Amino acid sequence: MCGIAGILTPSIDLRNEKPLIESISKTLKMRGPDAKGEYITPNTALIHRRLSVIDVENGAQPMRFGKYIIVYNGEIYNTAEVRDELISFGYKFDSHCDTEVVLKAYDKWKEESVKKLNGIFAYAVYDEKENSLFLARDRIGVKPCFYSKKNDLFAFASRISSLLCIPQIKHVVNEEGLNEIFMLGPAKTIGKAIFKDISELAPAHYLTYKNGKINLSQYWRLEAKENTETVEEAVEHTYSLVKDSIERQLVSDVPLATFLSGGLDSSIISKVASDYYKKDNNVLNTYSVDYTDNDKYFKKSLFQPNKDSDYIGLISDAIGSVHNNVVLDNSDVAYALKEAAIARCVPGFADVDSSLLLFCKEVKKNFTVCLSGECADEIFGGYPWYHRKEILFEECFPWSRSTVSRRNILKPDFLKNGEDYMRDAYNQTISLTSYLDSDSPLEKRMREMFILNLNWFMQTLLARKDVMSMESSLEVRVPFCDYRLVEYAYNMPWEIKALDGREKGILRKAFENDLPYDIAWRKKSPYPKTHNPVYFDCVCKLVQQALDDKSCPLSDMLNVSAVKNLMKNPDSMTEPWYGQLMQTPQVLAYIYQIYVWIKNYNVEFEL
């Protein structure tokens, strides 16, 4: 994986802007600590930072072929097939890296080339003769890409902070951005980047930039298609697709491990990976995360019915992995909130971010690539809101069913149109759903839920995974995001997907013979959080520091007495802020991260 950035402008000689280019490159260093490269002409700059994973000796970027120069971030999992097709057209290759394949695919098929790729990516191809740029992002949105156009300047980057280095791009957030933070956060609308001057290139989109004009195109979308498979056929199909996706993502020229929580998804990935490694007499390393004294303070809930620690040893022993359990200090998790917020460049995901950041740093000490089980819940119906009918048909985001908790911490009359903003975001997402005329009301709603989860909950988790892992210079791959699997799951009838009335029933059935029974049929439990009061005490101190800072405009937005009440009475918050992942400790941590973000990025507000 890597970090990329670029600037096109006719009014600045970029050869004289080396301090600016160097500052942008530095913001990308953790994404690519192994090497850096630049392509600079009077009006164009392309910047690359490399984390070497495939063909470590070759694959330096920016890479040139004819009139095209590419900067690329990602991994292509069907590289061999695309390379073979290009060879049949007479192309020759000097490396086995996927960058060269992507570049020559563009030379052959231009914009249509992106449809040939199965992988996770964001890349730019500059045409020297036409002075134009092609910028593309993978179908699911695993790899980030942001851009900005200010007058005659166009810029793009893997990180928002890279763009904020450019003087023309202002650190301004308007009411829309504040609604994203307080009404929808930590989620955000696809295409938005909180800052007024910056946009996100949406998943499954590419843009072309030429003569000062941006043209956006969507090259892939989910379409409703009839599925007439029997249960037996669906079990076999699910098994083969998942296994193929995992095995394709095990290709690496550097050490690789898997995250293993003891849950269904990570256990499937680790089992397939372990079997793959055993073919060459290798042993898989697996990693899990926990917190000091967490067993002592753990409390069961609807969303977290059991502890991971009860299951990890069972699956590790079954697959024969060398398991590593990373135990995080609770105060470290709190103090890492600052680094996590700065890395995100927007308000973050509280300790769900900071703990992953610390975890990835530990894994990076021995490994450069990991596989993780995110996104199976979104596409196979793993969350409780898929299965509780009192929630399922409510016309709202099921993980944020009201704004009561959000409103309670805000000053009265602040963001008066917040509820309308939230409702519009929901309705806009629902409008993207593709149906069949034969769909029952339940099937229609399940398609809507799929789109809601894909475009919101899943995007939040993917952004978290990319930023926190790459901030640790660790590449994390997510096999359940293979677009073939997503397409297949979207059109699977609900009664098959929820086989035996269970969340992810078809996935459980497909792999029940490969896993211990207690793993295959374990009730879903989310990413582990700390339950230790040490963490909560630390967060409260950090929030108090933020409230005491009168130079920060955050206090002008908050109902300070309500925030302090949460600190004194954490059980007073009656409904989750964001699904199963954000209760009172996380909401307070989120407030602190907003403070850190404002101070670090010198955010100005336009209301």
Side-chain angles (χ1 to χ4, degrees):
M1 295 298 172
C2 306
I4 63 172
I7 302 173
L8 279 73
T9 178
S11 59
I12 303 171
D13 189 337
L14 292 167
R15 294 173 299 181
N16 300 326
E17 298 292 333
K18 292 200 174 169
L20 170 62
I21 291 168
E22 182 61 26
S23 67
I24 293 173
S25 182
K26 283 182 178 179
T27 66
L28 299 168
K29 183 176 181 180
M30 294 308 293
R31 296 190 69 89
D34 298 331
K36 69 175 182 176
E38 297 164 357
Y39 165 89
I40 303 174
T41 71
N43 305 127
T44 305
L46 300 178
I47 302 162
H48 188 264
R49 300 294 303 229
R50 188 183 186 200
L51 178 66
S52 302
V53 172
I54 302 292
D55 199 354
V56 174
E57 297 300 318
N58 300 297
Q61 296 186 51
M63 183 180 288
R64 174 190 290 273
F65 181 68
K67 65 176 181 175
Y68 297 122
I69 299 96
I70 190 173
V71 283
Y72 162 79
N73 166 33
E75 297 289 346
I76 305 301
Y77 302 127
N78 64 335
T79 296
E81 293 95 321
V82 179
R83 183 190 288 116
D84 288 345
E85 187 174 0
L86 288 166
I87 289 172
S88 74
F89 287 108
Y91 286 84
K92 299 183 185 302
F93 290 85
D94 300 318
S95 71
H96 68 268
C97 71
D98 49 358
T99 307
E100 187 178 6
V101 172
V102 174
L103 178 57
K104 292 179 177 177
Y106 184 80
D107 180 75
K108 174 63 180 174
W109 294 296
K110 303 302 183 287
E111 290 87 349
E112 291 296 304
S113 62
V114 69
K115 298 178 182 178
K116 296 272 188 179
L117 308 177
N118 179 5
I120 54 178
F121 52 80
Y123 64 91
V125 180
Y126 176 65
D127 184 328
E128 280 186 320
K129 290 186 178 179
E130 296 292 330
N131 190 29
S132 62
L133 189 84
F134 174 79
L135 187 64
R137 191 174 178 209
D138 66 76
R139 292 169 179 83
I140 308 302
V142 179
K143 292 286 103 182
C145 189
F146 303 95
Y147 67 93
S148 179
K149 184 181 184 301
K150 293 288 290 184
N151 300 318
D152 64 357
L153 180 143
F154 178 82
F156 67 89
S158 299
R159 297 186 68 188
I160 293 171
S161 58
S162 305
L163 296 175
L164 292 174
C165 292
I166 301 170
Q168 292 90 330
I169 298 174
K170 304 305 179 185
H171 299 219
V172 172
V173 173
N174 59 15
E175 185 174 354
E176 178 182 88
L178 286 169
N179 273 314
E180 292 283 326
I181 292 167
F182 287 110
M183 293 295 120
L184 298 172
K188 67 175 184 62
T189 305
I190 284 179
K192 300 188 187 301
I194 309 300
F195 288 96
K196 181 181 176 181
D197 284 354
I198 301 174
S199 298
E200 175 190 53
L201 181 61
H205 280 69
Y206 65 78
L207 70 74
T208 56
Y209 180 76
K210 185 178 180 181
N211 297 329
K213 294 183 178 180
I214 295 173
N215 287 305
L216 279 166
S217 298
Q218 184 172 356
Y219 66 87
W220 177 85
R221 57 174 48 86
L222 281 172
E223 298 288 349
K225 297 178 182 178
E226 189 174 5
N227 182 326
T228 59
E229 288 181 332
T230 64
V231 171
E232 291 74 19
E233 290 168 337
V235 167
E236 183 178 346
H237 196 167
T238 299
Y239 184 88
S240 63
L241 264 180
V242 171
K243 187 170 184 286
D244 181 67
S245 176
I246 296 167
E247 290 183 342
R248 284 177 181 270
Q249 299 190 27
L250 291 171
V251 176
S252 174
D253 293 337
V254 294
L256 180 149
T258 66
F259 292 171
L260 181 61
S261 69
L264 177 68
D265 314 327
S266 65
S267 295
I268 289 172
I269 291 172
S270 297
K271 166 61 176 173
V272 173
S274 178
D275 289 350
Y276 188 90
Y277 269 41
K278 286 175 182 177
K279 293 176 183 178
D280 295 322
N281 296 315
N282 293 323
V283 178
L284 177 72
N285 273 259
T286 53
Y287 279 81
S288 61
V289 64
D290 206 346
Y291 307 87
T292 303
D293 292 332
N294 218 31
D295 281 358
K296 179 179 177 182
Y297 296 102
F298 177 81
K299 294 180 181 179
K300 291 184 179 182
S301 70
L302 171 66
F303 293 121
Q304 199 147 12
N306 43 50
K307 304 189 300 291
D308 287 344
S309 56
D310 295 339
Y311 296 87
I312 291 169
L314 175 63
I315 181 62
S316 178
D317 290 345
I319 66 175
S321 72
V322 175
H323 189 68
N324 308 270
N325 185 39
V326 176
V327 180
L328 302 178
D329 179 83
N330 291 281
S331 57
D332 288 347
V333 174
Y335 296 131
L337 289 167
K338 180 175 182 178
E339 183 181 355
I342 294 171
R344 269 237 195 201
C345 314
V346 294
F349 213 160
D351 57 76
V352 185
D353 275 1
S354 63
S355 60
L356 180 62
L357 176 62
L358 296 178
F359 177 50
C360 287
K361 285 184 176 185
E362 288 299 311
V363 177
K364 175 62 181 177
K365 291 177 181 178
N366 297 296
F367 292 89
T368 302
V369 180
C370 279
L371 270 62
S372 183
E374 271 84 359
C375 306
D377 291 305
E378 286 83 359
I379 68 173
F380 284 111
Y383 294 120
W385 46 75
Y386 277 100
H387 302 270
R388 296 177 61 187
K389 289 188 176 179
E390 72 275 18
I391 297 176
L392 179 60
F393 286 96
E394 286 185 341
E395 295 184 359
C396 61
F397 293 114
W399 50 85
S400 294
R401 294 162 62 199
S402 83
T403 59
V404 172
S405 294
R406 296 169 184 268
R407 278 291 177 202
N408 283 344
I409 69 158
L410 296 176
K411 281 195 171 179
D413 297 327
F414 183 66
L415 299 177
K416 292 181 181 179
N417 299 318
E419 282 75 9
D420 291 339
Y421 189 90
M422 190 178 196
R423 193 177 304 108
D424 288 346
Y426 169 83
N427 289 331
Q428 176 61 32
T429 308
I430 293 297
S431 72
L432 302 174
T433 310
S434 173
Y435 311 97
L436 291 177
D437 291 340
S438 59
D439 283 343
S440 66
L442 177 62
E443 291 292 349
K444 284 185 177 181
R445 185 54 178 168
M446 287 304 178
R447 290 192 190 276
E448 292 172 351
M449 289 290 284
F450 193 107
I451 297 298
L452 285 168
N453 280 270
L454 186 74
N455 285 10
W456 288 90
F457 211 83
M458 188 160 147
Q459 289 300 313
T460 307
L461 293 177
L462 288 176
R464 161 188 176 256
K465 180 68 71 178
D466 176 83
V467 173
M468 297 307 131
S469 61
M470 294 306 292
E471 185 68 12
S472 311
S473 302
L474 178 73
E475 175 187 320
V476 176
R477 301 172 180 174
V478 278
F480 285 104
C481 281
D482 188 308
Y483 80 93
R484 301 168 303 159
L485 191 56
V486 174
E487 288 178 337
Y488 177 61
Y490 183 67
N491 288 297
M492 185 183 293
W494 179 248
E495 63 180 7
I496 294 180
K497 189 180 292 187
L499 196 64
D500 298 325
R502 285 298 307 273
E503 74 282 3
K504 296 183 289 191
I506 189 67
L507 190 61
R508 298 177 188 279
K509 189 68 176 178
F511 284 89
E512 67 174 351
N513 294 327
D514 288 16
L515 302 173
Y517 178 88
D518 287 348
I519 299 293
W521 298 98
R522 177 191 175 189
K523 190 171 178 61
K524 178 199 161 38
S525 191
Y527 177 82
K529 298 195 300 289
T530 177
H531 300 272
N532 196 313
V534 169
Y535 170 75
F536 183 72
D537 291 344
C538 287
V539 169
C540 287
K541 291 176 183 177
L542 293 172
V543 172
Q544 188 61 55
Q545 291 174 18
L547 296 177
D548 290 342
D549 186 350
K550 303 307 179 185
S551 68
C552 181
L554 178 60
S555 292
D556 297 333
M557 307 173 194
L558 298 176
N559 180 339
V560 174
S561 62
V563 174
K564 289 183 176 180
N565 182 61
L566 275 183
M567 295 160 64
K568 293 178 182 177
N569 303 292
D571 293 333
S572 63
M573 196 176 81
T574 57
E575 58 184 71
W577 177 286
Y578 193 78
Q580 75 272 44
L581 295 171
M582 291 185 72
Q583 300 290 339
T584 297
Q586 289 71 40
V587 172
L588 292 172
Y590 184 63
I591 292 170
Y592 173 69
Q593 287 194 310
I594 296 172
Y595 166 76
V596 168
W597 167 71
I598 293 171
K599 296 287 284 188
N600 186 78
Y601 289 106
N602 299 312
V603 179
E604 299 176 16
F605 295 98
E606 180 182 279
L607 293 172

